[in-house]
Amino acid sequence: MKTITIKDIAKECGVGVSTVSRAINNHPDISDETKKRIMKVIRENNFTPNSTARNLKFTQTKTIAVLIKGIENPFFQKMLKVFEEEIQNKKYTFLLHRVDSNQDELEVALQLIKERKLKGIIFLGGCFSHDEKRLKQITVPFVLSTISIFDGVDKNIYSSVSVDDIKESKKAIDCLCDYGHEKISILAAQPWDTSISGLRVEGYKKALEERNIPINKNLIRYTLHEENAFTMENGYKLMKELLESEEEFTAVYAVSDSMVIGASKAILESGKKIPEDYSIMGFDGLDISYYYNPSISTIRQPVEDMAKETSEILFNLIENNAYNSHKIFEGELLVRQSIARLNK
């Protein structure tokens, strides 16, 4: 008797070889009716799939990886939900992969491309400061989401979705200055961060310089360790250090809402009040910033819109062979109870 093959199964069922493979591997991207028909033919012919057939699942599955650095940051949660929905609606497999703060996201990406035969990648969060040579090593379409890169990298070799971090950061400081504040501290990530935090520090400096307000380097509080900077714990630590330094300041701006919430706890623990003693401003627009007491002023990023735009750009690259593109969203300044006007 002739040995039946996976091609014979596919021919008898009127489907492709990859469909038979998906049925064998119980892949969700196949109707129950088709799966039952294929499995019936397999049983009737005592067909045993070999390792090659089983491995078709990995070689032919359409997988999109979201590489997230800073998964602890609640800012990303809404975005991840949108990514999962958009990717699955397109009949692709959603793969969420955490990247630790001390890992190189490009090395992780290159390894996943080899192991999982990725169709595309979304990079989310982290200090993204890779040069053109390294970016060109990525052989599949990719989009940097919520990530900005300093000038100097050819924009034709990557796609991105973000706010203008310099402009939005300047907007936050201008607001504090309009309320009479000049001695403004900033809580930032590592000094070598040339992406999100670096750009927001740049906006902070630009706002002060345009108003001829001297920049006190002691009020720029950098994170001096490798762990994820955009956390409540880190904001708490930086604020404690600032308070203990006895530097004079009237307002604090943190490069993320998570950090400013941690900073607020340190301020209140010291016996000071918000905003009577110190005004505070964050960045991101987390829900918790509204429900905190007092409610925290912040720059809100349109996270759901940014996630949808990221997905659309990526699928245009994958399915339509589109050119790389860049989308800049406008942030929204939300002035709440955490800012007090200074009497001059």
Side-chain angles (χ1 to χ4, degrees):
M1 177 186 275
K2 179 185 175 182
T3 302
I4 193 169
T5 67
I6 192 171
K7 289 183 179 179
D8 297 325
I9 299 287
K11 185 176 180 181
E12 185 169 341
C13 295
V15 298
V17 171
S18 61
T19 302
V20 176
S21 175
R22 290 199 296 274
I24 292 170
N25 288 288
N26 198 30
H27 196 280
D29 186 18
I30 182 174
S31 70
D32 290 338
E33 183 182 345
T34 302
K35 188 183 298 182
K36 287 177 182 177
R37 188 169 76 251
I38 292 171
M39 297 310 294
K40 181 174 182 290
V41 174
I42 286 173
R43 287 193 299 272
E44 288 174 350
N45 290 276
N46 295 317
F47 173 72
T48 303
N50 58 29
S51 59
T52 302
R54 288 194 298 271
N55 285 336
L56 279 172
K57 175 184 178 183
F58 299 104
T59 60
Q60 297 194 14
T61 293
K62 299 190 298 183
T63 302
I64 304 294
V66 177
L67 270 61
I68 178 171
K69 207 167 196 178
I71 197 168
E72 304 89 351
N73 191 340
F75 171 70
F76 295 126
Q77 299 311 308
K78 288 183 179 180
M79 299 192 79
L80 290 176
K81 182 179 179 182
V82 174
F83 287 142
E84 185 173 13
E85 290 174 352
E86 295 291 317
I87 290 169
Q88 291 180 347
N89 285 342
K90 282 282 191 176
K91 306 301 182 186
Y92 282 70
T93 299
F94 171 77
L95 172 64
L96 177 62
H97 191 96
R98 173 180 177 170
V99 181
D100 291 333
S101 58
N102 60 350
Q103 282 185 296
D104 184 323
E105 51 269 279
L106 285 195
E107 290 298 328
V108 174
L110 293 172
Q111 190 62 34
L112 282 175
I113 291 170
K114 291 179 183 177
E115 293 177 356
R116 300 298 299 266
K117 308 295 183 184
L118 301 180
K119 295 294 185 181
I121 300 174
I122 295 171
F123 290 97
L124 190 61
C127 171
F128 209 92
S129 56
H130 306 287
D131 58 28
E132 289 183 20
K133 184 178 179 181
R134 297 207 63 210
L135 288 176
K136 287 178 179 178
Q137 293 177 337
I138 303 175
T139 56
V140 300
F142 67 96
V143 183
L144 311 182
S145 190
T146 72
I147 301 171
S148 301
I149 298 182
F150 267 120
D151 293 336
V153 177
D154 184 358
K155 290 184 176 293
N156 293 315
I157 65 174
Y158 71 97
S159 291
S160 68
V161 175
S162 68
V163 295
D164 183 332
D165 286 292
I166 294 177
K167 175 184 173 182
E168 300 302 335
S169 188
K170 181 178 179 300
K171 187 189 293 183
I173 300 304
D174 281 337
C175 173
L176 290 171
C177 291
D178 289 343
Y179 273 70
H181 297 275
E182 294 188 355
K183 296 177 180 179
I184 304 169
S185 178
I186 180 171
L187 309 184
Q190 293 83 358
W192 54 88
D193 182 333
T194 57
S195 55
I196 297 171
S197 177
L199 293 169
R200 292 176 189 175
V201 171
E202 192 71 18
Y204 161 87
K205 291 178 178 178
K206 187 174 181 180
L208 296 179
E209 287 169 352
E210 287 187 0
R211 293 172 181 260
N212 296 316
I213 298 173
I215 295 174
N216 180 353
K217 292 182 178 179
N218 293 330
L219 292 181
I220 302 176
R221 312 304 291 194
Y222 286 111
T223 303
L224 299 177
H225 48 75
E226 290 288 348
E227 65 189 55
N228 182 24
F230 298 87
T231 63
M232 296 181 197
E233 180 184 10
N234 189 47
Y236 177 82
K237 289 179 182 177
L238 292 178
M239 193 68 237
K240 290 269 288 185
E241 292 170 4
L242 175 59
L243 290 167
E244 290 168 3
S245 73
E246 298 185 353
E247 285 287 338
E248 288 188 14
F249 64 98
T250 62
V252 182
Y253 164 58
V255 297
S256 80
D257 281 347
S258 292
M259 293 175 74
V260 88
I261 290 169
S264 299
K265 179 175 175 56
I267 290 172
L268 298 175
E269 281 186 356
S270 73
K272 300 295 184 179
K273 294 181 179 181
I274 302 170
E276 291 86 350
D277 295 305
Y278 300 118
S279 292
I280 60 171
M281 169 78 74
F283 197 117
D284 283 336
L286 296 183
D287 290 341
I288 192 174
S289 66
Y290 173 76
Y291 292 103
Y292 195 83
N293 187 22
S295 57
I296 297 172
S297 302
T298 184
I299 299 290
R300 189 184 75 85
Q301 298 192 65
V303 288
E304 291 94 342
D305 292 341
M306 293 169 71
K308 287 180 179 178
E309 183 69 22
T310 298
S311 303
E312 185 174 333
I313 290 176
L314 184 62
F315 285 120
N316 264 331
L317 292 169
I318 295 170
E319 299 177 346
N320 302 323
N321 201 26
Y323 290 108
N324 281 305
S325 60
H326 304 272
K327 175 71 175 181
I328 303 293
F329 281 85
E330 187 80 16
E332 180 184 4
L333 173 64
L334 301 175
V335 180
R336 295 171 175 155
Q337 298 169 336
S338 67
I339 298 178
R341 194 176 297 277
L342 290 187
N343 297 319
K344 288 190 174 182

